[in-house]
Every structure is written in C-alpha cells, then in structure tokens.
Amino acid sequence: MINLVRRNLGSYIVKSHVSFSTPLRFFSSSSSSSSSERQQLLRTNPKVFDILLHRHHFTPELASRVASALAHLKTPEKADSVLSFFKESGFSNTRLEKIVKYRPRLLSASLEASIKPKIRVFQDLGFSSDDISIIISSNPAILHLSVNNNIIPTLSLLKGLLGSDYDLARLLRLSAWFVTTNLEQTMVPNFDFLKSFGIPMERLFLILHSYPRFFLLKPDILRRSVDKAEEMGIDRCSKVFIYAVRSIASMSNEAWELKLQGFRDLGFSESEILAMFVKAPSAFSGSMVKIKKVKEVLLGTGKFSMSCIVNNPMSLACSIERRFKPRIRILEILERRNLITNWPGLGKVYTLTDEKFFQKFISPYMDEVSDVYVPMSSVRGRRLLC
C-alpha cells in the first residue's frame, strides 16, 4: 500500500463497422485515393493493424490510424501486451479505443516500467477497476506522468483535503484533470482563499463535486470574481455567494453581455435581472434558448406573470418536459373539471418533489380523473391513470 500524505450589469464579470484483413485493402478501395492516404499507407504498420483489428476488435479506421502512428514500432507484440494488460485490469474495449485514439504511442511504452506502476498506484488506494478505467480513459495523459514526482504527490494532496480514498475516487471519476493539473498553483490557493472568509467546507465540497473545474481556475480570476459578486450586492455569508462567484467566473465579458442582452430581449428590466441573479445565480448558467422556452411555457398558462418568474428565478433552470409540462397538464385538467379553483403559486409548482406533488394535486382526485393518463415523468416511480 502506497503511503499517501497529505451600475452597468455588463461590468459584473471578469475576463477570463467493416471487416478488412489488411490496411492495404482499407486504403486502396478507390483508384482516386488522395496523396495523403497513399503516404499514410506507406507509413503504416501492418502487424499492429492486424493485432488491433483481429485480436482486440478495434474499428478498421482506428486500427489504421494507430498503426500509422506506430509505423516504426519494431516489436508489435508490445502493443498487444499493453492492450491485454488493460483488459485484464478491467478496461472495456470502448475505453481502450478512447485511450489509444488520443494517445496511440502508449502502445509502444514499457509495460513493466511505465504503465503498470501507474495503474498500481490507484489499485493500492483501493480504487475499483471501473474507477481506474474511467479515470485513465478520461485523461490518458496521466500515464505520461512520473509516479513519484507527479501522481503520488497529487493524490496525496487530494486525499489530505478530501479525507478518504472513496471521496478521492469519486472526485476523479468526475474530473480526472485534477491529476494532471498543478494543484499547488490552483486548487490549494483557491480553497484557502474561499475558506478565509467563512465559506463552510461542506459547501465547498458540494461545489467541488458539482463543478469540479471551478477550483482549477487561476487564483486571480477567482479573486476578481469574488470582488464582482460583492459589487453586485451578494453577501459573502450568503449561501448563494459561492454559486454567484462560479457563475461570474464561468463566463467571459462577451458571454456575460450576451446573457444580459438575452434577458433584456425577454422583457426583463436591469433591476429585475440583477434581482434574479442575486437570488439564484445558478439560473444564469442555462442557455438562453432553454430560458426563453421556460418563460414561454409559464406565461402561456395565463396563470403566471413576469413578476412570478422574477420572484422564482430558479424556475428557469427546471426541465420543461420532465417538470413543467406534466404538472401544468394536471393542473389544467383539475381546473377544467372544477376540482380546483386556484392554481398553486409558481414556487410550489416547481419546488415540490414528485411525491409531494402527487399527494397534494393527484391523490385526492384519483376517482374523479381516473380516465386521464398522467405520464410517469410527472410522478417518479408511479404509473397512474388520472
């Protein structure tokens, strides 16, 4: 076991499948093959192509590309050994193809000296074969790093921060880029800075697992984003503060201005846009196309106004198909049959869980509306006729 240690809203932003026996047949299907294809044919490695295509069942296209990259490999058996090792370690063909597509020269690396020690680091930490294959296929550059100078120190730092091998594996499954990033220049100062003004570690960990790359920002970008969030009137002690910082830091000046103009085009005033951002900054991360559609669906009911949306900005982040359309349909049926006289407020419509929505607006009227089908998406785990 390896021992691991330790004003103008526009200003509120910071910059920031075919079978072929040889590659020859694959490339000579047409007499009008391009010069580059003919040159690639001359450079290819037929033995490597045969191993990839017939022994490891890669697609002809990928097998040819990799065989060309390994044209000068004198021991094709090395590629076979590397691939066989990965398969024995739990890597699926799909993940192997992903790795060699972007890092074909890994198949010419020393299995004993270069590849096995790096896989062993993760195995010694108790990572499952599925964990390891996901992490490596997501970021094959890990296999080019030094075990002692890069991989172990990085995993040590992350484990010291997260506290367990389980949480470390969970994070790297989400973003394997942490292994190939200089954390001493990004994550460490960013964490220290955010902790310095009182953001609880539980909230930082929540953000880390929801938006992992946020902590890999350059520290100066993060600091300027914090300043801008404060200028917009968001208190550092507020639960939404860290989300506001993330939203600001995720957009360039141009993207931010386009986002603001999109809200203006939808009929929101400057003060309403600012009020919505202060209340629910995460709502601004969605595409304007989706936001526009949500607004149209809500206003189309005739039951909700623009002010309702301003007061409930997170409604703009909800799914139209899975949340709004089924619930709106149910409410329309209940109203049409005089089973309800008033609709619930927008807040209840989008915040109630599926189970609670069922209990409040469907269960009491099952006998009266049993002839109408309610999609399963409206109430998770239930098949209803209402």
Side-chain angles (χ1 to χ4, degrees):
M1 178 72 178
I2 295 175
N3 182 27
L4 295 179
V5 290
R6 119 95 222 146
R7 13 74 159 170
N8 187 331
L9 286 174
S11 66
Y12 294 131
I13 196 64
V14 297
K15 295 184 178 178
S16 32
H17 170 29
V18 183
S19 175
F20 301 96
S21 59
T22 66
L24 178 59
R25 291 182 62 187
F26 180 71
F27 281 101
S28 60
S29 59
S30 170
S31 58
S32 60
S33 294
S34 68
S35 174
S36 62
E37 287 176 332
R38 289 195 297 270
Q39 291 174 3
Q40 183 179 21
L41 172 60
L42 295 175
R43 294 196 305 268
T44 198
N45 192 319
K47 290 185 178 180
V48 171
F49 179 90
D50 189 66
I51 289 172
L52 297 178
L53 183 65
H54 297 110
R55 180 168 171 78
H56 295 286
H57 311 293
F58 280 23
T59 64
E61 295 82 0
L62 182 56
S64 179
R65 181 190 301 184
V66 176
S68 296
L70 302 177
H72 303 297
L73 181 63
K74 296 179 180 180
T75 55
E77 297 77 12
K78 180 179 287 189
D80 182 37
S81 297
V82 171
L83 289 171
S84 296
F85 167 73
F86 279 127
K87 287 184 175 181
E88 292 165 2
S89 300
F91 286 66
S92 67
N93 238 53
T94 299
R95 289 172 185 165
L96 281 179
E97 287 191 344
K98 184 178 180 181
I99 292 171
V100 300
K101 178 179 180 179
Y102 297 105
R103 301 281 173 167
R105 298 192 183 279
L106 281 171
L107 299 185
S108 64
S110 170
L111 181 58
E112 297 299 328
S114 181
I115 296 178
K116 283 187 177 182
K118 294 160 189 176
I119 299 299
R120 193 176 299 120
V121 172
F122 294 95
Q123 292 172 333
D124 288 347
L125 281 168
F127 285 25
S128 69
S129 59
D130 193 50
D131 289 336
I132 299 171
S133 65
I134 289 175
I135 293 166
I136 298 300
S137 63
S138 297
N139 188 5
I142 292 171
L143 297 176
H144 291 290
L145 297 175
S146 164
V147 169
N148 295 319
N149 295 332
N150 302 111
I151 298 178
I152 291 179
T154 296
L155 297 182
S156 177
L157 188 156
L158 288 171
K159 182 180 177 181
L161 177 67
L162 299 172
S164 73
D165 296 333
Y166 171 84
D167 287 324
L168 175 57
R170 178 186 173 199
L171 175 63
L172 297 185
R173 284 174 66 106
L174 292 170
S175 181
W177 292 100
F178 281 86
V179 185
T180 53
T181 301
N182 190 329
L183 301 182
E184 294 286 356
Q185 294 181 4
T186 54
M187 186 178 185
V188 172
N190 287 341
F191 248 90
D192 289 343
F193 176 61
L194 293 171
K195 286 193 301 180
S196 70
F197 48 81
I199 297 181
M201 286 299 293
E202 314 86 73
R203 198 173 301 157
L204 292 179
F205 286 147
L206 181 61
I207 294 293
L208 178 63
H209 288 101
S210 300
Y211 311 102
R213 294 199 185 189
F214 169 66
F215 290 93
L216 301 181
L217 289 169
K218 294 180 179 180
D220 62 317
I221 293 178
L222 179 65
R223 290 174 181 270
R224 292 200 300 269
S225 299
V226 165
D227 291 340
K228 293 301 180 182
E230 288 188 305
E231 289 175 18
M232 295 177 72
I234 303 178
D235 194 309
R236 288 186 175 187
C237 296
S238 168
K239 290 183 178 180
V240 303
F241 182 75
I242 188 66
Y243 294 95
V245 173
R246 191 205 70 84
S247 293
I248 293 170
S250 70
M251 288 183 276
S252 64
N253 282 334
E254 294 77 12
W256 176 252
E257 186 52 46
L258 285 173
K259 181 75 68 174
L260 295 179
Q261 189 58 49
F263 275 95
R264 296 183 191 113
D265 293 344
L266 291 179
F268 295 102
S269 69
E270 297 288 319
S271 61
E272 288 174 331
I273 296 171
L274 179 57
M276 287 191 293
F277 184 80
V278 170
K279 191 169 186 177
S282 295
F284 280 61
S285 298
S287 73
M288 288 310 304
V289 172
K290 189 266 181 84
I291 290 172
K292 180 181 178 181
K293 288 180 179 179
V294 172
K295 176 210 164 191
E296 292 172 347
V297 167
L298 294 178
L299 297 185
T301 65
K303 305 296 181 180
F304 307 117
S305 64
M306 290 285 282
S307 62
C308 290
I309 298 175
V310 172
N311 291 329
N312 298 275
M314 277 307 296
S315 63
L316 297 173
C318 293
S319 168
I320 295 174
E321 298 299 326
R322 294 194 303 272
R323 176 141 304 193
F324 283 127
K325 283 188 175 181
R327 296 185 180 195
I328 288 172
R329 181 173 177 238
I330 290 169
L331 293 172
E332 288 173 339
I333 293 170
L334 295 177
E335 182 182 45
R336 190 162 58 244
R337 300 190 177 188
N338 298 315
L339 296 173
I340 60 172
T341 55
N342 296 303
W343 280 37
L346 178 56
K348 282 189 177 181
V349 171
Y350 85 90
T351 60
L352 286 179
T353 64
D354 291 336
E355 189 66 30
K356 288 185 177 179
F357 189 87
F358 169 81
Q359 292 172 356
K360 189 171 183 64
F361 297 105
I362 301 176
S363 182
Y365 311 108
M366 286 293 289
D367 293 337
E368 292 88 345
V369 294
S370 60
D371 59 317
V372 181
Y373 175 71
V374 175
M376 288 185 67
S377 59
S378 64
V379 183
R380 187 177 301 129
R382 295 178 182 269
R383 182 178 295 277
L384 300 175
L385 290 174
C386 75

